[in-house]
Amino acid sequence: MKGSEHKNFIPNLSFDCVIFGFNGNLLKILILEYQNTGLFALPGGFVEENQSLDDAVKQGVKDRTGLDNVFLDQFYIFGEVNRADPEHMKRMLVANNDDTKENRWMLERFLTVGYYALINYEEVTPKPDHLSDSIGWYSIDELPKLMMDHNKIAEKALEVLRSNLSEKLIGMNLLPSKFTMKQLQLVFESVLDQQLRRTTFQRKMLSLDILERHEKLFQGKAHKAPYLYSFK
Amino acid sequence: MKGSEHKNFIPNLSFDCVIFGFNGNLLKILILEYQNTGLFALPGGFVEENQSLDDAVKQGVKDRTGLDNVFLDQFYIFGEVNRADPEHMKRMLVANNDDTKENRWMLERFLTVGYYALINYEEVTPKPDHLSDSIGWYSIDELPKLMMDHNKIAEKALEVLRSNLSEKLIGMNLLPSKFTMKQLQLVFESVLDQQLRRTTFQRKMLSLDILERHEKLFQGKAHKAPYLYSFK
DNA sequence: GGATTATTGTCGTAAAATGAGACAATAGGT
DNA sequence: ACCTATTGTCTCATTTTACGACAATAATCC
């Protein structure tokens, strides 16, 4: 009877999204806390029968965090048999008075597709959905214990982000459309978790011919004002 | 009633495997031809209810090609709504007299997980399973028209293999355990589809400190015999 | 207004990696 | 014994990166 009770969703398949943001200093991940359970989790969801996976994730991220128009990339499917502890899901359903027959399918085995998202921390305010009573940013090295295998999923997302950062030049998605060279360097340093040499970084970025230089940014500080850049 | 008729499989989810082999000259992919249909396809299959995805793929590759102990890596999940043409599946079922009620679930929408495999072309002989009447190697630039979106899947696999080759040093899986520098270079050249400079390649590989040098290989040719190497 | 301070943009030189070719060492063939 | 094709290594030029020097400058402090 797998999943047939809930006509809208592909059974046994979910997605979870690791949403990265950069607060100017630290790389953070968006975490939901479920009502009355003390359970922390990545925002995730299910795929409707006639909905593409990408659309489902786009929609799910919007529904659960209020974030729209987000850079999204699929990075792995987690297919271990016992990756999902049904006890977690059960606690969540009970706490929400959703522990009905129609929702028992959620207790089955699930494979989950991992996505990561990059967003401009400053320009958006995430909003929790009806299932969650809070939504919050957590530094990547100070994550709470997450439900099921979500810590593992977040770790893998960071790995993939690291290896994609320089190659695919996706760092821009963590910044406002105009930014200083220093900000860009801080993004690289946080993601790669290593210090970079200022002059080398600047020369490298400029030589790639991917940046457009704009007006200067006067920050009211007692020193030379940096230029603003955007990606071409 | 999704999938509930066939008690063993996760519904709406399949896998397909792009098996690469190198014949000493060209990079090739293993393709199945289904009995009495003229349909070509990548070897694939379904995931049992209590089987991990990785195990399902391992088992599936073994069942459908006879290949065992293969280097496997997951690279993408294809989740478009209309990616699978049910007409293809139907023809296949009819041709096998499998067009029974119990198998109708195979005509539904499927998401498929793409894996690629790297095997030593010379040491294994693929064998078709009962569904297929032939199994064959096809050069990556001379693939036949494959069923559903399998051509797209193969293309994506090659892309990922390309970007992983140097970074993750997986080329060895396409060669016997001992090989010459020339053979290794040919693998790189076929995968990357570009010529490499012999001396630069040799120096680079040796400097990486990943190769062990063994005895010379005497090929009966009128010139200096090359050393054999293996990966450390 | 002139000196002070912190940061930025740019350059120069050193070091490392890569490109491109030279050349001697072979394993056999003639 | 000489010839041929290929291999392993070296040298030198070029490119990329590391690392530090330095001048420009936006505000603040006398």
Side-chain angles (χ1 to χ4, degrees), chain A residues 25-82:
Chain A
N25 185 28
L26 290 168
L27 188 65
K28 304 205 167 194
I29 290 176
L30 209 51
I31 306 285
L32 296 173
E33 184 172 2
Y34 284 110
Q35 285 169 5
N36 316 320
T37 62
L39 290 174
F40 293 89
L42 297 172
F46 307 105
V47 184
E48 288 179 31
E49 270 181 1
N50 41 22
Q51 187 183 34
S52 82
L53 177 61
D54 279 348
D55 286 347
V57 176
K58 226 175 284 178
Q59 189 63 45
V61 168
K62 185 174 176 185
D63 290 348
R64 309 217 50 195
T65 66
L67 302 176
D68 206 348
N69 261 98
V70 160
F71 174 91
L72 276 170
D73 198 16
Q74 172 202 125
F75 68 91
Y76 201 72
I77 174 162
F78 297 84
E80 294 305 306
V81 176
N82 294 311

Side-chain angles (χ1 to χ4, degrees), chain A residues 197 199-200 203-204 216 218 220-225:
Chain A
R197 200 157 288 276
T199 56
T200 306
R203 178 152 49 183
K204 181 71 183 167
K216 290 187 169 189
F218 297 93
K221 299 284 180 59
H223 55 71
K224 193 170 176 177

Side-chain angles (χ1 to χ4, degrees), chain B residues 10-44:
Chain B
I10 302 271
N12 305 295
L13 187 73
S14 63
F15 65 85
D16 289 293
C17 191
V18 183
I19 303 177
F20 290 100
F22 181 67
N23 74 349
N25 186 26
L26 290 168
L27 188 64
K28 304 205 168 194
I29 290 177
L30 210 50
I31 306 285
L32 296 174
E33 183 171 2
Y34 284 109
Q35 284 168 6
N36 317 320
T37 62
L39 289 174
F40 293 90
L42 297 172

Side-chain angles (χ1 to χ4, degrees), chain A residues 20-28 119-122 137 174-175 183-191:
Chain A
F20 290 100
F22 180 68
N23 74 348
N25 185 28
L26 290 168
L27 188 65
K28 304 205 167 194
I119 74 170
N120 175 5
Y121 188 91
E122 288 162 11
W137 290 107
L174 288 165
L175 289 172
Q183 287 179 288
L184 187 59
Q185 185 179 342
L186 284 169
V187 165
F188 272 74
E189 290 181 336
S190 320
V191 172

Side-chain angles (χ1 to χ4, degrees), chain B residues 197 199-200 203-204 216 220 222-224:
Chain B
R197 202 155 286 275
T199 56
T200 307
R203 177 165 50 186
K204 181 71 184 169
K216 289 188 170 189
H223 54 72
K224 194 170 176 179

Side-chain angles (χ1 to χ4, degrees), chain B residues 56-163:
Chain B
V57 177
K58 227 175 286 179
Q59 188 63 45
V61 168
K62 186 175 175 185
D63 290 349
R64 309 217 52 196
T65 67
L67 302 176
D68 206 348
N69 261 97
V70 160
F71 173 90
L72 276 170
D73 198 16
Q74 173 201 125
F75 69 90
Y76 200 72
I77 174 163
F78 298 83
E80 293 304 306
V81 176
N82 294 312
R83 55 162 291 277
D85 180 355
E87 193 47 42
H88 283 166
M89 189 61 82
K90 180 128 189 168
R91 266 165 73 191
M92 207 195 83
L93 292 176
V94 170
N96 283 283
N97 276 41
D98 269 350
D99 186 29
T100 52
K101 255 193 199 134
E102 302 84 56
N103 282 325
R104 288 284 160 72
W105 61 277
M106 289 173 88
L107 301 179
E108 294 200 22
R109 175 213 178 162
F110 271 85
L111 296 90
T112 200
V113 183
Y115 275 72
Y116 68 90
L118 305 180
I119 73 169
N120 174 5
Y121 188 91
E122 288 161 12
E123 286 184 10
V124 291
T125 310
K127 293 187 175 53
D129 66 351
H130 70 284
L131 289 174
S132 324
D133 60 7
S134 85
I135 188 167
W137 289 106
Y138 290 83
S139 288
I140 47 171
D141 40 33
E142 288 175 3
L143 290 187
K145 171 102 188 59
L146 305 178
M147 81 187 319
M148 302 195 282
D149 59 348
H150 285 195
N151 285 95
K152 198 177 131 197
I153 294 175
E155 222 168 282
K156 179 102 182 172
L158 181 57
E159 260 176 50
V160 174
L161 173 58
R162 261 182 201 147
S163 79

